[in-house]
Amino acid sequence: IKDELPALSEDGFRSEHQIHDYYVTAFHLGDWLGDASKECDMFSEQELRRCGLDHYPSWVPKNPIHRPDGYWNVSLPEGMATIAVEVELKLKTAQDYRVTSMFYRDEPEIYRVVWMVPTIGHASKLRDGLAEGSPSNIGIHTFILKEDFLKSGWLAPIHFGTETGKSLSFLLGQR
């Protein structure tokens, strides 16, 4: 199959963090597991890692400073929107989140960042770190609790951000 692929920037296919990658895949594919929407494109972390920047779709940021767990590019009433996927099962340092928030501040084509986190306390701490790095765009960061996702899938409610109280499904254009 390698002969059929574009030049790869990195060889490999194995997961470095199997549990994390399991949740990323479930979260990223969600309701589209069997039948992806024709009005959405996806780009995974594996593609971000393996493909050269020149092989990224036009809607994927080509900034190597931060690599989210993937992207959705969805059709919304207001047009196409790029949404970053982040699954954060363990807290990192406040400095890590400051750098991450500056990445998202400097990528204005990213409409929203959806974080799956274990608890509301985790979301609050993460959000505080993001706000330190870039308070002006904190509203683009939305949070889904892992337990809510496991129970309700994309009908899980959003915490914090512009779509607070709405479902992930709503944010992804399934209205």
Side-chain angles (χ1 to χ4, degrees):
I1 193 169
K2 225 174 171 183
D3 294 337
E4 304 299 319
L5 297 172
L8 300 178
S9 60
E10 180 181 320
D11 271 347
F13 61 90
R14 292 187 184 204
S15 172
E16 295 170 2
H17 306 283
Q18 292 175 337
I19 292 173
H20 172 269
D21 293 349
Y22 167 79
Y23 283 113
V24 168
T25 301
F27 195 54
H28 203 196
L29 294 176
D31 292 353
W32 294 325
L33 178 60
D35 185 26
S37 168
K38 291 178 177 67
E39 297 176 4
C40 174
D41 287 316
M42 292 185 266
F43 204 70
S44 72
E45 181 184 20
Q46 287 295 324
E47 291 171 299
L48 290 165
R49 289 180 69 177
R50 309 295 184 220
C51 296
L53 296 176
D54 52 332
H55 292 288
Y56 284 17
S58 60
W59 52 271
V60 172
K62 292 161 183 62
N63 184 339
I65 295 204
H66 175 71
R67 183 179 60 233
D69 292 314
Y71 290 103
W72 290 297
N73 192 44
V74 297
S75 177
L76 299 177
E78 50 270 31
M80 295 304 289
T82 299
I83 300 172
V85 177
E86 297 274 8
V87 174
E88 200 72 4
L89 302 177
K90 295 179 182 175
L91 279 174
K92 295 179 182 155
T93 68
Q95 176 60 24
D96 289 331
Y97 295 125
R98 283 191 290 276
V99 170
T100 299
S101 69
M102 289 185 273
F103 166 81
Y104 286 119
R105 179 199 63 205
D106 295 341
E107 296 295 337
E109 70 275 8
I110 296 177
Y111 177 70
R112 293 288 180 274
V113 183
V114 179
W115 298 82
M116 184 206 296
V117 296
T119 66
I120 198 72
H122 190 114
S124 293
K125 286 180 183 174
L126 201 159
R127 189 171 190 272
D128 290 346
L130 293 167
E132 281 184 37
S134 181
S136 63
N137 72 336
I138 194 64
I140 71 166
H141 297 279
T142 63
F143 297 84
I144 303 286
L145 301 183
K146 183 176 89 170
E147 182 178 317
D148 290 345
F149 174 73
L150 292 175
K151 186 170 76 174
S152 304
W154 282 356
L155 294 177
I158 291 172
H159 299 273
F160 303 120
T162 305
E163 286 81 19
T164 297
K166 293 186 168 55
S167 69
L168 176 57
S169 192
F170 176 87
L171 179 60
L172 295 175
Q174 298 179 340
R175 299 178 179 175

